[in-house]
Amino acid sequence: VEFRELFNKKLACQLGMNYTAYFPDFTSMSETEIFISTKGGYTDYHIDFQENFSIQLRGSKKWKLCKSGVTSPIAGFTPHYAKSGNLEQQLKLLSMEFPFKYDKDEIESLATEIELNAGDVLYHPAGIWHAVECTEDSITINLSLKNLNKADIIAQSLKHLMNQDPELRENMTFSSRED
């Protein structure tokens, strides 16, 4: 947590995310992940809702990247986790923006392939399809940064204003189906 709060906050500020890169309690809306992977490890195509920087510390990985058409995603889309129960919610959120389809063959045919080696850094923006294969044992640090969107800021502001009204702070009760 300390690394995330210090390093990711500074990175977010340098990228112009200094106002909206925090939760209301001023903790950073970022993640730092360390991936320790063995040769042959594979993560299938998915999109993230954060801005990502992957720093390859050791070994190498083959990345396949393709534009998705999703702009400012409010959720990731991880079809390889289809059994986790989150896939339906992800599709609902993405379909709010446009009719969303996942066609792995089409993505594969349009993807650009790059190899990340020790010392390389890759920026992959929110909403881009990507799949990753370990071509040798590797260690990667991933820094993920998330901005609040305008809807988040407006909703939080409205909640703050509404909570000033004692009637709106009252608990809701239902005594019958007609209520």
Side-chain angles (χ1 to χ4, degrees):
V1 171
E2 188 172 316
F3 177 84
R4 179 188 78 183
E5 289 301 313
L6 294 175
F7 185 79
N8 290 12
K9 276 186 177 182
K10 287 183 180 182
L11 179 61
C13 287
Q14 290 174 352
L15 295 172
M17 300 168 75
N18 53 325
Y19 172 70
T20 59
Y22 309 100
F23 288 110
D25 67 355
F26 297 104
T27 57
S28 176
M29 291 190 77
S30 64
E31 297 174 342
T32 301
E33 303 166 298
I34 299 175
F35 295 100
I36 301 172
S37 311
T38 56
K39 181 178 180 175
Y42 182 75
T43 301
D44 210 349
Y45 284 101
H46 63 285
I47 62 173
D48 297 325
F49 62 93
Q50 312 103 320
E51 307 295 323
N52 295 283
F53 295 86
S54 293
I55 306 164
Q56 192 68 35
L57 298 179
R58 183 177 180 176
S60 60
K61 290 183 175 179
K62 180 171 55 174
W63 287 71
K64 294 181 181 180
L65 305 143
C66 180
K67 289 183 180 180
S68 71
V70 177
T71 57
S72 304
I74 55 177
F77 180 64
T78 51
H80 57 287
Y81 289 136
K83 294 180 181 173
S84 71
N86 66 350
L87 194 58
E88 181 181 357
Q89 182 66 22
Q90 291 175 349
L91 280 170
K92 285 179 183 176
L93 290 168
L94 289 169
S95 66
M96 290 180 355
E97 186 170 342
F98 63 90
F100 187 79
K101 70 174 188 159
Y102 172 67
D103 183 340
K104 185 175 176 178
D105 292 333
E106 181 180 352
I107 294 167
E108 186 74 33
S109 71
L110 298 171
T112 298
E113 188 175 301
I114 62 166
E115 180 123 2
L116 231 62
N117 296 299
D120 292 341
V121 177
L122 173 67
Y123 166 68
H124 44 109
I128 194 165
W129 287 114
H130 56 288
V132 185
E133 178 184 354
C134 295
T135 52
E136 60 187 40
D137 293 352
S138 67
I139 300 174
T140 310
I141 293 179
N142 195 65
L143 307 174
S144 301
L145 306 175
K146 172 71 174 111
N147 257 347
L148 287 173
N149 59 41
K150 292 174 186 175
D152 292 332
I153 293 171
I154 292 168
Q156 288 177 9
S157 298
L158 284 173
K159 182 177 179 182
H160 176 75
L161 289 172
M162 293 171 73
N163 279 332
Q164 293 176 17
D165 184 330
E167 286 185 46
L168 294 174
R169 288 196 312 266
E170 290 179 11
N171 290 333
M172 293 183 71
T173 58
F174 301 95
S175 56
S176 69
R177 292 187 124 186
E178 287 77 35
D179 288 344

